[in-house]
């Protein structure tokens, strides 16, 4: 059967005329609909920090009011801008977000609009009827304008439950239509053919091509209050209702008389409202309401629709309602006090480092069915220093003091000294009824965990920041005397003193610089000088120079430590604690053996189990092999040019740290972890002789500054060397030396900006250094102490004698500039290792994904060459250039990507949430760094 193009649509127009009418309607409303790009700087309530996009539409052109979803306006801090159909852009400020329904309002200044004729869309909630043809216009799937057509299929659908840690609506109907929207369509208007908004996009069902829309009854009322500049009243009895059909409520006990009365009073309805949840200690709970009660009347009025329910609640804030419910086959009358719903929404936020805390919101309390009181934090990690998930945790107490609101938390934190460790009790909100209380300890660094209280201001759209600086200084550490565990096995008595040298090391990393990707590292280390408090630990534990380090001795005493040295290529670092902090505790420094491990040696390895008890393993050295590691993108530190011992005991690979000792208990090697690939770790025994130069310098109170060729070296067999042109004479000479390995070493990569660059070349085969044939990696040790080396290399089938200068291995990162939500510093060693050229002395180390830098394209690994056309050859010039940039303006930033692709970014500044700050290295400070 052929279709009839003149068939009438649901609004009475024919197909052809309807198409023309719809086109006119859509064209007339395009200037009213905007794309919204927004950033949440902090995780708040159910909303994670980050950048996103959505849709909004103008509902008051003269006052510049835009309607969108609550999860766009956000319950917490937000920065946003609107982009009109002609790509004109305007800043937005959040002026209202509803406590329970998914809508809110932004505002802009109409006087700043230059190229757009502002039009508004009229709210017409009465137009939402089953069968009405509608169009949804918005920023669907990231498209500038997307138009979806459908018809309304339901107007009395119960709200969906979307899961934890996401927005969940309540006490309203939702409208349903098959529009199949996706990301970016949030906040789009559902309009009728007259161009009126009858609903707003709120949610979608992933398993069906169905979208859910919020009715506009309450939206319109609240808009009118905002326009009239009168108080917006929202009432609650902390009780959630659900609409149930008559056949269901009959099973709950309502009588025929009640049903007849309700049908007569509300002829359009098909059911009644039933109590779904009653929050503990709320007004409904106090009055005696229970789940399963069927709502009948409020103040004598039959209530079987959410619109009337909300009118009565909002119109009686701080007053009492007479509510009649049906419970079983009896009628029950209760008096319920109506609370101010806005008072249950957090308007303050405490920031402690990367952790934020707020009063528990009604939104979260309602989802988890817990009392709407207490203090919640979504991420305890930054102060707890444990790898906690981003979940809502309720705080029970801090430092032994109960906390019920954010004001109490601020008062307690003002009593905590710098880096003071205090107990905390908390639990996940979902385990409220499971008695799963967790005890831990928090440590607040005044450098890394700066404290600020934010208060919402709906006039400015910002959350006003009050920095809390009147905090106590660090308190003196009382010496702690501890006793080490004892090995009772008489066969290993010589290892007893070695146990007294093993300590646990924990490294908290507050910022990501130098390619670091982890927040908390923990491992074991060994004391190598008890008088000076020097401890050697794996480089994978101390993976950044910007860190806070603690040492735990015998599982009892926790004391602070400072980073003193990181080896540029070997997988170890040296940290230092103050020996006064451990009192008379008998710690023992390991004795360094001068005997180098060889394949076949019988050894013992002392390690610590996961229960922090000593473990002794017997093993033989199976081989001595170079470490093989992969490059990373973006670059991060990795061990190179190092040989380690492998043990034949497979249990050894279960441990990330150990001390390999000889028959006298003297340490021959350290069993250390190193990263082989992105998610693959290796272990091996590093000769203790690799520690000696740095240890001796520190014992002389000098800073270790080993020299280096700044070249990565790899193995090559003599067979391949001969194929590359190695002469028979040289081959015979090499093979006649006392080496068990038929191999040579080849230059794999030369570090950019090193003195060897341009002298040595990639693929050079190293034959000798300072007249000595190179057979092992130890033969390269001359680079650490000699400013110039005479190196014979095989290049292009010819031997060449080169004079190669070595370079001091100083700490490259001395200054970090924080700007627009990104961190910049001079290129660190690993970047230079993987670069043939250095476009600039300014390297982007990290980008906060909830910042303007992230939104506008700045990325880790970018080199910055210019800021507003000012050259930035080094970090100091970059610091001056960004300090000259004004707030709330676009800055032109020329960058070159890690793949050498140039680009010009325009990055907006917002110093309120992303201030410009400079962090400099300072060995005299407790943290090793300070802000200037």
């Amino acid at each position: 059967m052929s279709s009839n193009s003149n068939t009438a649509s649901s609004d009475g127009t024919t197909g052809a005329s309807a198409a023309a009418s719809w086109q006119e309607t859509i064209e007339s409303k395009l200037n009213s609909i905007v794309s919204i790009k927004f950033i949440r700087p902090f995780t708040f309530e159910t909303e994670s920090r980050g950048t996103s996009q959505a849709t909004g539409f103008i509902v008051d052109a003269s006052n510049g009011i835009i309607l969108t979803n609550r999860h766009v306006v956000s319950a917490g801090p937000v920065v946003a801008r609107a982009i009109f159909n002609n790509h004109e852009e305007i800043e937005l400020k959040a002026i209202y977000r509803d406590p329970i329904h998914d809508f809110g309002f932004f505002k802009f200044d109409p006087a700043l609009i230059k190229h757009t004729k502002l039009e508004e869309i009229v709210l017409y909630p009465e137009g939402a009827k089953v069968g009405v043809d509608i169009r949804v216009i918005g920023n669907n799937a990231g498209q500038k304008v997307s138009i979806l057509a459908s018809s309304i299929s339901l107007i009395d659908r119960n709200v969906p439950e979307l899961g934890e840690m996401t927005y969940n609506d309540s006490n309203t109907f939702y409208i349903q239509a098959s529009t199949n929207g996706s990301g970016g369509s949030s906040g789009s208007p559902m309009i009728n053919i007259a161009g009126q908004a009858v609903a707003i996009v709120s949610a979608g069902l992933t398993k069906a091509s169905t979208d859910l829309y919020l009715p506009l009854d309450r939206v319109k009322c609240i808009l009118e209050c905002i326009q009239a500049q009168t108080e917006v009243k929202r009432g609650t009895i902390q009780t959630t209702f659900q609409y149930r059909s008559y056949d269901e409520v009959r099973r709950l006990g309502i009588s025929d008389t009640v049903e007849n009365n309700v049908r007569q009073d509300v002829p359009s309805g098909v059911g009644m409202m039933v109590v779904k949840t009653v929050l503990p200690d709320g007004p409904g709970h106090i009055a005696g309401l229970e789940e399963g009660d069927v709502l009948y009347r409020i103040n004598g009025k039959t209530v079987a629709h959410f619109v009337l329910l909300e009118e009565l609640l909002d119109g009686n804030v701080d007053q009492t309602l007479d509510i009649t419910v049906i419970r079983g086959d009896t009628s029950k009358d209760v008096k319920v006090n109506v609370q101010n719903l806005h008072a249950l929404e957090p308007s303050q936020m405490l920031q402690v480092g990367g952790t934020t805390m707020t009063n528990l919101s009604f939104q979260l309390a309602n989802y988890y069915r817990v009392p709407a009181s207490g203090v919640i934090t979504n991420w305890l990690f930054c102060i707890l220093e444990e790898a906690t998930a981003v979940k809502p945790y309720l705080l029970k107490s801090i430092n032994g003091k109960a906390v019920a609101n954010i004001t109490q938390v601020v008062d307690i934190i003002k009593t905590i000294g710098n880096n003071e460790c205090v107990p905390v009790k908390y639990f996940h909100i979902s385990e409220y009824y499971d008695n799963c209380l967790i005890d831990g300890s928090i440590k607040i660094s005044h450098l890394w965990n700066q404290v600020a209280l934010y208060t919402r201001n709906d006039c400015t759209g910002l959350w006003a920041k009050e920095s809390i600086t009147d905090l106590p200084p660090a308190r003196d550490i009382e010496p702690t005397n501890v006793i080490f565990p004892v090995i009772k096995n008489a066969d290993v008595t010589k290892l007893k003193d070695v146990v007294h040298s093993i300590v646990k090391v924990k490294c908290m990393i507050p910022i990501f610089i130098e390619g670091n990707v982890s927040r908390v590292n923990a491992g074991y280390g060994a004391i190598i000088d008890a008088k000076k408090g020097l401890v050697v630990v794996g480089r994978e534990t101390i993976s950044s120079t910007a860190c806070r380090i603690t040492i735990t001795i015998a599982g009892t005493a926790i004391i602070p430590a400072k980073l003193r040295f990181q080896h540029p290529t070997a997988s170890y670092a040296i940290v230092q604690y103050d020996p006064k902090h451990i009192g008379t505790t008998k710690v023992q420094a390991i004795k360094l053996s001068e005997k180098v491990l060889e394949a076949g040696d019988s050894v013992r390895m002392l390690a610590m189990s996961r229960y922090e008890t000593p473990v002794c393993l017997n093993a033989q050295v199976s081989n001595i092999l170079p470490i093989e590691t992969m490059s990373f993108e973006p670059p991060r530190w990795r061990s190179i040019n190092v040989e380690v011992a492998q043990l034949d005991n497979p249990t050894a690979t279960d441990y990330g740290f150990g001390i390999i000792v000889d028959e006298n208990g003297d340490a021959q090697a350290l069993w250390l972890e190193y990263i082989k690939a992105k998610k693959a770790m290796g272990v091996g025994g590093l000769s203790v002789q690799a520690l000696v130069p740095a240890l001796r310098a520190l014992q002389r109170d000098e800073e270790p500054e080993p020299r280096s060729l700044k070249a990565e070296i790899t193995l090559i067999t003599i067979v391949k060397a001969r194929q590359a042109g190695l002469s028979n004479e040289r081959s015979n000479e090499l093979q006649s030396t006392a080496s068990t390995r038929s191999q040579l070493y080849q230059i794999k990569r030369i570090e950019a900006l090193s003195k060897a660059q341009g002298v040595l070349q990639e693929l050079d085969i190293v034959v000798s250094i300072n007249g000595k044939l190179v057979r092992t990696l130890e033969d390269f040790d001359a680079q650490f102490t000699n400013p110039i080396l005479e190196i014979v290399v095989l290049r292009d089938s010819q031997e060449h004698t080169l004079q190669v200068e070595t370079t001091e291995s100083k700490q490259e990162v001395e200054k970090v500039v924080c700007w627009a939500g990104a961190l910049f510093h001079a290129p660190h060693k690993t970047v230079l290792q993987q670069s043939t050229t250095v476009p600039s002395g300014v390297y982007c180390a990290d980008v906060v994904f909830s910042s303007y830098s992230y939104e506008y394209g700045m990325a880790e690994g970018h080199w910055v060459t210019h800021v507003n056309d000012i050259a930035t050859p080094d970090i100091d010039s970059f610091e001056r250039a960004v300090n000259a940039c004004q707030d709330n303006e676009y800055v032109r930033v020329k960058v070159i990507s890690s793949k050498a692709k140039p680009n010009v970014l325009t990055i907006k500044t917002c110093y309120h949430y992303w201030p410009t700050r400079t962090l400099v290295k300072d060995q005299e400070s407790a943290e090793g760094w300070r802000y200037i």
Side-chain angles (χ1 to χ4, degrees), residues 707-711 750-761 786-789 791 802-810 832:
R707 307 187 70 85
S708 172
L709 283 172
K710 304 285 186 178
I750 303 167
E751 191 173 305
L753 302 183
S754 69
K755 294 178 180 178
Q757 189 180 31
V759 182
L760 291 175
Q761 294 182 12
N786 291 282
I788 299 178
L789 299 176
I791 301 179
L802 308 174
Q803 300 296 315
V804 186
E805 289 187 73
T806 57
T807 308
E808 290 182 349
S809 296
K810 292 183 177 180
L832 298 177

Side-chain angles (χ1 to χ4, degrees), residues 337-350:
N337 295 322
V338 180
Q339 283 184 319
N340 180 0
L341 185 52
H342 290 302
L344 300 179
E345 289 303 294
S347 59
Q348 287 189 313
M349 178 190 72
L350 180 66

